[in-house]
Short mmCIF file of all heavy atoms in Angstrom, two decimals:
data_model
loop_
_atom_site.label_atom_id
_atom_site.label_comp_id
_atom_site.label_asym_id
_atom_site.label_seq_id
_atom_site.Cartn_x
_atom_site.Cartn_y
_atom_site.Cartn_z
N ARG O 26 90.30 110.13 92.35
CA ARG O 26 89.77 110.34 93.71
C ARG O 26 88.70 109.30 94.07
O ARG O 26 88.37 109.16 95.24
CB ARG O 26 89.19 111.74 93.84
CG ARG O 26 90.22 112.85 93.73
CD ARG O 26 89.62 114.21 93.84
NE ARG O 26 90.57 115.23 93.40
CZ ARG O 26 90.38 116.02 92.35
NH1 ARG O 26 89.26 115.96 91.64
NH2 ARG O 26 91.31 116.90 92.01
N ARG O 27 88.14 108.65 93.08
CA ARG O 27 87.06 107.70 93.35
C ARG O 27 87.46 106.27 93.06
O ARG O 27 86.63 105.37 92.91
CB ARG O 27 85.82 108.06 92.52
CG ARG O 27 86.08 108.05 91.02
CD ARG O 27 84.99 108.73 90.22
NE ARG O 27 83.75 108.01 90.24
CZ ARG O 27 82.91 107.96 89.20
NH1 ARG O 27 83.20 108.58 88.08
NH2 ARG O 27 81.78 107.29 89.29
N SER O 28 88.78 106.00 92.98
CA SER O 28 89.24 104.65 92.65
C SER O 28 90.69 104.48 93.12
O SER O 28 91.28 105.39 93.69
CB SER O 28 89.17 104.43 91.14
OG SER O 28 90.18 105.20 90.48
N ASN O 29 91.24 103.32 92.85
CA ASN O 29 92.67 103.08 93.13
C ASN O 29 93.50 103.26 91.87
O ASN O 29 94.55 102.64 91.72
CB ASN O 29 92.87 101.68 93.72
CG ASN O 29 92.68 100.58 92.69
OD1 ASN O 29 91.83 100.70 91.80
ND2 ASN O 29 93.45 99.50 92.80
N LEU O 30 93.06 104.11 90.96
CA LEU O 30 93.73 104.28 89.67
C LEU O 30 95.21 104.61 89.82
O LEU O 30 96.05 104.01 89.14
CB LEU O 30 93.04 105.41 88.89
CG LEU O 30 93.69 105.78 87.55
CD1 LEU O 30 93.57 104.66 86.55
CD2 LEU O 30 93.06 107.06 86.98
N VAL O 31 95.55 105.54 90.71
CA VAL O 31 96.93 105.97 90.84
C VAL O 31 97.83 104.80 91.23
O VAL O 31 98.91 104.59 90.65
CB VAL O 31 97.06 107.11 91.86
CG1 VAL O 31 98.52 107.40 92.20
CG2 VAL O 31 96.40 108.38 91.31
N HIS O 32 97.40 104.01 92.20
CA HIS O 32 98.23 102.90 92.64
C HIS O 32 98.23 101.75 91.64
O HIS O 32 99.20 100.99 91.57
CB HIS O 32 97.81 102.45 94.04
CG HIS O 32 98.23 103.40 95.10
ND1 HIS O 32 97.61 103.48 96.33
CD2 HIS O 32 99.21 104.35 95.13
CE1 HIS O 32 98.19 104.41 97.06
NE2 HIS O 32 99.16 104.95 96.36
N ALA O 33 97.17 101.62 90.88
CA ALA O 33 97.18 100.60 89.83
C ALA O 33 98.19 100.97 88.75
O ALA O 33 98.87 100.11 88.20
CB ALA O 33 95.78 100.49 89.20
N LEU O 34 98.31 102.26 88.45
CA LEU O 34 99.25 102.72 87.43
C LEU O 34 100.70 102.71 87.90
O LEU O 34 101.61 102.51 87.10
CB LEU O 34 98.88 104.14 86.98
CG LEU O 34 97.59 104.28 86.16
CD1 LEU O 34 97.22 105.75 85.99
CD2 LEU O 34 97.71 103.60 84.82
N THR O 35 100.91 102.93 89.20
CA THR O 35 102.28 103.01 89.70
C THR O 35 102.76 101.75 90.38
O THR O 35 103.97 101.57 90.59
CB THR O 35 102.42 104.19 90.69
OG1 THR O 35 101.45 104.04 91.74
CG2 THR O 35 102.17 105.52 89.97
N MET O 36 101.82 100.87 90.77
CA MET O 36 102.15 99.60 91.42
C MET O 36 103.16 99.77 92.58
O MET O 36 104.28 99.24 92.54
CB MET O 36 102.72 98.60 90.39
CG MET O 36 101.73 98.25 89.29
SD MET O 36 102.32 97.00 88.14
CE MET O 36 103.58 97.93 87.25
N PRO O 37 102.83 100.55 93.60
CA PRO O 37 103.79 100.84 94.66
C PRO O 37 104.24 99.61 95.44
O PRO O 37 105.35 99.61 95.97
CB PRO O 37 103.03 101.81 95.57
CG PRO O 37 101.58 101.50 95.32
CD PRO O 37 101.51 101.15 93.86
N TRP O 38 103.41 98.57 95.48
CA TRP O 38 103.80 97.38 96.24
C TRP O 38 104.93 96.63 95.54
O TRP O 38 105.65 95.87 96.15
CB TRP O 38 102.60 96.45 96.42
CG TRP O 38 101.78 96.31 95.18
CD1 TRP O 38 101.98 95.47 94.13
CD2 TRP O 38 100.64 97.09 94.85
NE1 TRP O 38 101.03 95.67 93.17
CE2 TRP O 38 100.20 96.66 93.58
CE3 TRP O 38 99.96 98.11 95.51
CZ2 TRP O 38 99.09 97.23 92.95
CZ3 TRP O 38 98.86 98.66 94.89
CH2 TRP O 38 98.44 98.21 93.62
N ASN O 39 105.09 96.82 94.22
CA ASN O 39 106.19 96.17 93.53
C ASN O 39 107.55 96.63 94.04
O ASN O 39 108.53 95.90 94.00
CB ASN O 39 106.09 96.42 92.02
CG ASN O 39 105.19 95.41 91.34
OD1 ASN O 39 104.65 94.53 91.98
ND2 ASN O 39 105.03 95.54 90.04
N ALA O 40 107.61 97.90 94.49
CA ALA O 40 108.88 98.41 95.03
C ALA O 40 109.30 97.61 96.25
O ALA O 40 110.49 97.34 96.47
CB ALA O 40 108.73 99.89 95.37
N GLN O 41 108.30 97.19 97.05
CA GLN O 41 108.60 96.42 98.23
C GLN O 41 109.10 95.02 97.87
O GLN O 41 109.80 94.36 98.64
CB GLN O 41 107.35 96.32 99.12
CG GLN O 41 106.83 97.68 99.56
CD GLN O 41 105.48 97.55 100.27
OE1 GLN O 41 105.00 96.46 100.51
NE2 GLN O 41 104.90 98.70 100.62
N LEU O 42 108.73 94.57 96.68
CA LEU O 42 109.15 93.25 96.22
C LEU O 42 110.39 93.32 95.36
O LEU O 42 110.81 92.31 94.79
CB LEU O 42 108.01 92.59 95.43
CG LEU O 42 106.69 92.41 96.18
CD1 LEU O 42 105.61 91.86 95.23
CD2 LEU O 42 106.87 91.46 97.36
N GLY O 43 110.97 94.50 95.24
CA GLY O 43 112.19 94.65 94.45
C GLY O 43 111.93 94.69 92.97
O GLY O 43 112.85 94.43 92.17
N ARG O 44 110.70 95.01 92.55
CA ARG O 44 110.37 95.02 91.11
C ARG O 44 109.74 96.37 90.73
O ARG O 44 108.75 96.43 90.03
CB ARG O 44 109.39 93.90 90.77
CG ARG O 44 109.94 92.52 91.02
CD ARG O 44 109.12 91.48 90.25
NE ARG O 44 107.72 91.53 90.60
CZ ARG O 44 107.15 90.82 91.57
NH1 ARG O 44 107.91 90.03 92.29
NH2 ARG O 44 105.87 90.89 91.82
N GLU O 45 110.35 97.44 91.19
CA GLU O 45 109.80 98.75 90.92
C GLU O 45 109.85 99.06 89.43
O GLU O 45 110.87 98.88 88.77
CB GLU O 45 110.55 99.83 91.69
CG GLU O 45 109.93 101.21 91.54
CD GLU O 45 110.57 102.22 92.45
OE1 GLU O 45 111.54 101.86 93.14
OE2 GLU O 45 110.12 103.38 92.47
N GLU O 46 108.74 99.52 88.87
CA GLU O 46 108.66 99.89 87.47
C GLU O 46 108.09 101.31 87.37
O GLU O 46 107.18 101.65 88.12
CB GLU O 46 107.76 98.92 86.69
CG GLU O 46 108.31 97.50 86.64
CD GLU O 46 107.35 96.57 85.90
OE1 GLU O 46 107.40 96.57 84.66
OE2 GLU O 46 106.59 95.85 86.56
N ASN O 47 108.60 102.06 86.46
CA ASN O 47 108.11 103.42 86.26
C ASN O 47 107.65 103.57 84.81
O ASN O 47 108.48 103.50 83.89
CB ASN O 47 109.20 104.42 86.61
CG ASN O 47 108.71 105.86 86.51
OD1 ASN O 47 107.51 106.10 86.37
ND2 ASN O 47 109.62 106.80 86.59
N PHE O 48 106.37 103.79 84.63
CA PHE O 48 105.81 103.92 83.29
C PHE O 48 105.76 105.37 82.81
O PHE O 48 105.25 105.64 81.72
CB PHE O 48 104.41 103.34 83.25
CG PHE O 48 104.33 101.86 83.50
CD1 PHE O 48 103.15 101.27 83.93
CD2 PHE O 48 105.43 101.04 83.31
CE1 PHE O 48 103.07 99.89 84.15
CE2 PHE O 48 105.36 99.67 83.52
CZ PHE O 48 104.18 99.09 83.94
N TYR O 49 106.27 106.27 83.63
CA TYR O 49 106.14 107.71 83.31
C TYR O 49 107.50 108.32 83.01
O TYR O 49 108.49 107.92 83.62
CB TYR O 49 105.44 108.42 84.46
CG TYR O 49 103.98 108.07 84.55
CD1 TYR O 49 103.56 106.92 85.17
CD2 TYR O 49 103.02 108.89 83.95
CE1 TYR O 49 102.21 106.58 85.23
CE2 TYR O 49 101.68 108.58 84.00
CZ TYR O 49 101.28 107.41 84.63
OH TYR O 49 99.95 107.07 84.68
N PRO O 50 107.51 109.29 82.08
CA PRO O 50 106.37 109.81 81.29
C PRO O 50 105.88 108.76 80.28
O PRO O 50 106.68 107.97 79.77
CB PRO O 50 106.96 111.03 80.59
CG PRO O 50 108.43 110.74 80.49
CD PRO O 50 108.77 110.00 81.74
N ILE O 51 104.58 108.78 80.03
CA ILE O 51 104.00 107.85 79.06
C ILE O 51 104.57 108.17 77.68
O ILE O 51 104.53 109.32 77.25
CB ILE O 51 102.46 107.96 79.03
CG1 ILE O 51 101.89 107.63 80.41
CG2 ILE O 51 101.88 107.03 77.97
CD1 ILE O 51 100.38 107.81 80.50
N PRO O 52 105.09 107.19 76.97
CA PRO O 52 105.65 107.46 75.63
C PRO O 52 104.61 108.07 74.70
O PRO O 52 103.41 107.81 74.83
CB PRO O 52 106.08 106.07 75.15
CG PRO O 52 106.32 105.29 76.42
CD PRO O 52 105.30 105.79 77.39
N GLN O 53 105.07 108.86 73.74
CA GLN O 53 104.19 109.59 72.83
C GLN O 53 103.20 108.69 72.11
O GLN O 53 102.04 109.05 71.92
CB GLN O 53 105.03 110.36 71.79
CG GLN O 53 105.78 111.56 72.35
CD GLN O 53 104.95 112.83 72.30
OE1 GLN O 53 103.75 112.81 72.58
NE2 GLN O 53 105.56 113.92 71.92
N ARG O 54 103.66 107.51 71.70
CA ARG O 54 102.79 106.60 70.96
C ARG O 54 102.49 105.33 71.75
O ARG O 54 102.25 104.27 71.21
CB ARG O 54 103.42 106.24 69.62
CG ARG O 54 103.42 107.42 68.63
CD ARG O 54 104.24 107.14 67.38
NE ARG O 54 104.05 108.18 66.38
CZ ARG O 54 104.60 109.39 66.42
NH1 ARG O 54 105.40 109.70 67.45
NH2 ARG O 54 104.38 110.28 65.50
#
């Protein structure tokens, strides 16, 4: 709530560039 953490982790602008990446769920290790 006090940063851009969510968008840094999800990189929503990459979807607009055709490079959408999904890091979730975070792997166990």
Side-chain angles (χ1 to χ4, degrees):
R26 294 180 194 116
R27 60 194 291 214
S28 71
N29 72 324
L30 176 67
V31 170
H32 286 157
L34 290 171
T35 55
M36 298 184 290
W38 43 85
N39 274 0
Q41 301 172 5
L42 301 175
R44 297 198 302 270
E45 185 173 3
E46 295 179 81
N47 184 10
F48 294 159
Y49 289 82
I51 300 176
Q53 288 271 41
R54 290 171 171 77

